[in-house]
Amino acid sequence: MNSPYSVTAPGGKVRLLVMDAKEGLPSAFALLGTTAHEKVAIRLAGGCKGMGPDDKAQMMAFFKEAFRGYVGLVWSGATRQTTKAGAIDPMVTDVPGIIAAENQGCVALGTVPRVEMMTLQQESRLVLDQYGTFPNPSMLGILVVQNGADGSLDWDGDVKTYAALMNQWRDCGGFKSLGLISWNGGVVTKDEIIMSIKQGWVTVLITGTGRATDELAAELKADDVAFGGKYNLPATWATMTHVVPKTDPSALHNILASRGFIIE
Amino acid sequence: MNDQNHDGRVIPSLYMQNKGESSIRFALRLTSAPSRVVVRITGGCGNMSAADADGMYDLFAEALKGFDGGILFGGTRMISKEGGKILPSVTEIPTRIKIRAPDAVILGVVPRTSELKLVPGLGMVVSGESGAAYDSIIHPNQEACLLVQQSVDTGVEWEAEYRVCLDIVKNLRDYANWQSVLISYNGGSVTKKEILETAERGWPVVLVSGSGRVTGELAEDNDFLNEHPNVLVAEKTSESLRGVLAKLGVWGVSAEGHRNTFKFALAQGA
């Protein structure tokens, strides 16, 4: 069995690019995204707070099934964490690598804000913060977004960057469909969901996963008109937004197929 | 992605780039082409008659018929100051190719060597000193054009064009699994630099023999060709050029039916 630190990305290496948040977007990273077989991109947002090992195993199984046949770009935050026993502690950020490994032609990428000074520990292992979070080694490329060499960012410091990249892929790179899928998550995830809807991306909330995703889904279900007004959403938002229970991966698969993300 | 004129022609987008920067939008525009192959066309038209130029246009248009990758070129058009005629130039080739290769994505790179001027009836003039016989304008028939400058107040030399093209091609090859071909026709000292730098990198180069000047000389330089097996020579006919491009795999289709496969046949001894 691989160690959590084993690089499983294609070619045995993860390409790391560092950019300042105020700089222009990096061409090299944008080009990596175009290597996906189909020009479609899905961002996974969320977290795993409050989830037990069984929940996490179910999350992996859910996405594996829902993304069967997906050969586009899938990306998320770019971190990985371990359990106290030293095994992988599965998070949403492990999902893109799993999907890419299951579907030849699919490309997994990630972004991460530099929230502290990065360090090299033990056998020259790159560590992102004081809690031992490290870059996810299952991704083809990771974009580290920093606030200058001396500054630091919060954990939402990469959101504007990934949103801009998504739109550039669509506007200039010929990407046909963009989407965001949320699972659990906190305040940052909530903002990402609303941003995605406002951008006109296909937005899917997976319910039963907890916290921000469930809260927004409940608000939406209770009164969709009030929901649109509260978050100042464009008139067409409802046509681009879906709610899927975590027990029904087929429903997500069907949405992905009907929206052009999966060609069947 | 592009707006169109009232007559249906594409209106080029114009991007400005300072030297040392890279443009994500420009790079992505190329990747909107169906095939992951970029053809860079370089050279010049020294000592060339109008009849020779017509032959050159036909040669390229026929050789690249049906091509659906990206094309990088100089991005300018030369207009004579007397009579306002379009002068023969390598930079007219992509327009002719586009007629027979409508899915190709054509992008130009233009160094800003002097102040830009908007001239009624001409468009954006990038160079046209008072003593010169012609004005160079931004070519109107391209999807997008990248203007390269040192900074707002400082221009660059003409050779910045090929250096920027080398950077773009390198990014496409390194990060996006693209392949590339440099096709050279005629040309002078700057063309020679581009051929040599591309050859040294091991990237495919096609020299059109008999096209004159630097390209013609190198096409007959056996020492150079022997040292650089990635440099091929095509005769000055569309059949020969198309054949060499086919040998390089420009028209390759993978077993899976994916269009985006350019096989560098030379590396495999083909």
Side-chain angles (χ1 to χ4, degrees), chain A residues 15 17 25-37 39 165 168-175, chain B residues 1 15 22-33 36 168 171-172 174-178 258 260:
Chain A
R15 292 136 184 90
L17 289 97
L25 299 167
S27 297
F29 193 79
L31 289 172
L32 281 179
T34 68
T35 60
H37 184 76
K39 288 191 169 179
L165 275 162
Q168 295 284 15
W169 278 319
R170 180 192 58 204
D171 296 343
C172 299
F175 275 54
Chain B
M1 283 174 283
Y15 300 103
S22 66
S23 166
I24 181 175
R25 296 179 72 89
F26 195 76
L28 284 176
R29 290 295 285 262
L30 272 174
T31 67
S32 65
R36 297 184 188 198
I168 292 169
N171 277 344
L172 287 168
D174 288 353
Y175 301 113
N177 296 339
W178 275 53
H258 302 165
N260 302 329

Side-chain angles (χ1 to χ4, degrees), chain A residues 27 33 202 261:
Chain A
S27 297
V202 175
F261 291 100

